[in-house]
Amino acid sequence: MDMTNQEYKQYVRAMAQPSPLWKDLAWAFCVGGGICAGGQGLSNLYQYLGMTREDAGAWVSITLIFLAALLTGLGVFDDIAKRAGAGTLVPITGFANAMVSPALEFKHEGFVTGTGAKLFTVAGPVLAYGTAASVVYGLILWIIEQL
């Protein structure tokens, strides 16, 4: 079937269902806000249990990453994301989901060549560029301090 770009755009518009924008925005806001409020609640709880603010922040991050990874593994996170859309992309939970999802898809290829390899296809660039950026920023800071 040969179509021009214009014909293809018309075809897509005719076949696509309109998105309920305001409903999607409300769900994203509520779920994203709920994740953030839950994180703040965890921070308050950890501080109440005697942790410093910095330690509580670290444990909140660990807890949210663990919960997002666990819910992804159980298939629940994807159900929440279908409903909430961008609300689940709160950076820490979205990154945990992005790490676990590819690993689950390739677990049939084995622990090392499937799961392990796919974890590093996502994490590898983040770790490499993050490490390189921290070295560059550290050098810039060192040079500024020397002046």
Side-chain angles (χ1 to χ4, degrees):
M1 173 192 280
D2 289 329
M3 290 182 151
T4 65
N5 285 340
Q6 201 66 325
E7 290 172 331
Y8 180 72
K9 284 180 186 178
Q10 289 174 350
Y11 173 75
V12 169
R13 276 194 211 115
M15 299 305 284
Q17 301 239 348
S19 175
L21 179 65
W22 293 106
K23 180 181 171 189
D24 291 347
L25 286 172
W27 271 107
F29 178 80
C30 290
V31 172
I35 292 170
C36 293
Q40 183 62 52
L42 285 171
S43 178
N44 293 345
L45 173 66
Y46 292 148
Q47 289 178 53
Y48 175 78
L49 295 175
M51 291 185 186
T52 65
R53 186 174 181 192
E54 292 78 23
D55 288 345
W59 278 102
V60 168
S61 296
I62 292 167
T63 305
L64 289 176
I65 290 169
F66 172 77
L67 290 174
L70 178 66
L71 292 175
T72 298
L74 296 174
V76 176
F77 195 91
D78 291 338
D79 293 337
I80 296 169
K82 283 179 191 171
R83 184 98 180 193
T88 57
L89 294 179
V90 174
I92 202 158
T93 56
F95 182 71
N97 176 261
M99 290 290 298
V100 175
S101 293
L104 290 175
E105 290 178 27
F106 290 90
K107 68 181 176 183
H108 66 276
E109 292 182 18
F111 186 70
V112 174
T113 57
T115 303
K118 286 300 168 184
L119 279 173
F120 287 107
T121 59
V122 175
V126 172
L127 296 173
Y129 288 113
T131 302
S134 67
V135 169
V136 170
Y137 299 147
L139 286 172
I140 291 170
L141 181 62
W142 180 79
I143 291 169
I144 290 171
E145 287 177 352
Q146 297 304 312
L147 299 174

